C-alpha cells in the first residue's frame, strides 16, 4: 500500500532551520505532484508549498523567501527546507502526494 513517512521535525529556536523529509513507497513517486501542508492548534490545515512532478515549485506567501521545496525522484523523497523559522511556523507538517495520499505528520515547534 501507499506509505508516506515524514521526518525532520523538532524544536528549534526562532531564526533557526529544519529540513523535513517525506519518503514515499507503494507508488511511482515521480509521476505525482507533491505538497507540504501544516496545521497549527485550533487552525485549519493550510498549504505551505507544492512541487510538480517536473519539479516546478509553488509557495504560500508565508513560505516565500524562507522555505524551499525539492524532490529526489530516484530516492522517492520530497523535502522542505525551512529557514528563518518563526514562532508562527509552529505546526504539524504533512506531506501529500497526488490528491489523496497523506503522511502522518511531523511536529515543528519554534520557540526560545
Amino acid at each position: 500500500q501507499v506509505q508516506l513517512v515524514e521526518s525532520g521535525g523538532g524544536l528549534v529556536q526562532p531564526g533557526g532551520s529544519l529540513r523535513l523529509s517525506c519518503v514515499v513507497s507503494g507508488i511511482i513517486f515521480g509521476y505525482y505532484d507533491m505538497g507540504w501542508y501544516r496545521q497549527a492548534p485550533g487552525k485549519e490545515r493550510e498549504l505551505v508549498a507544492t512541487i510538480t512532478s517536473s519539479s516546478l515549485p509553488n509557495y504560500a506567501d508565508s513560505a516565500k523567501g524562507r522555505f524551499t521545496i525539492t524532490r529526489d525522484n530516484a530516492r522517492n523523497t520530497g523535502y522542505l527546507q525551512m529557514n528563518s523559522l518563526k514562532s508562527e511556523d509552529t505546526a504539524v507538517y504533512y506531506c501529500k502526494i497526488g490528491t489523496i495520499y497523506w503522511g502522518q505528520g511531523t511536529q515543528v515547534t519554534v520557540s526560545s
Side-chain angles (χ1 to χ4, degrees):
Q1 74 271 23
V2 179
Q3 285 191 312
L4 286 67
V5 180
E6 298 106 329
S7 62
L11 173 64
V12 63
Q13 292 187 341
S17 298
L18 285 173
R19 188 175 84 152
L20 307 183
S21 299
C22 176
V23 179
V24 179
S25 60
I27 57 170
I28 301 175
F29 176 64
Y31 286 0
Y32 293 87
D33 297 347
M34 74 161 289
W36 286 95
Y37 295 73
R38 67 187 183 187
Q39 187 166 18
K43 295 188 176 181
E44 293 188 355
R45 192 171 296 188
E46 64 177 8
L47 172 71
V48 177
T50 61
I51 187 166
T52 68
S53 58
S54 55
S55 295
L56 294 176
N58 185 55
Y59 298 95
D61 287 344
S62 60
K64 287 178 181 176
R66 300 188 300 128
F67 295 2
T68 303
I69 187 170
T70 57
R71 64 190 297 158
D72 184 338
N73 291 341
R75 297 178 185 270
N76 292 339
T77 303
Y79 302 97
L80 185 69
Q81 176 68 43
M82 304 187 295
N83 299 327
S84 302
L85 283 161
K86 307 174 183 179
S87 58
E88 51 262 45
D89 295 317
T90 294
V92 178
Y93 284 70
Y94 300 88
C95 65
K96 181 182 179 184
I97 302 300
T99 59
I100 63 172
Y101 301 113
W102 290 91
Q104 83 289 350
T106 185
Q107 176 71 47
V108 171
T109 303
V110 184
S111 175
S112 56

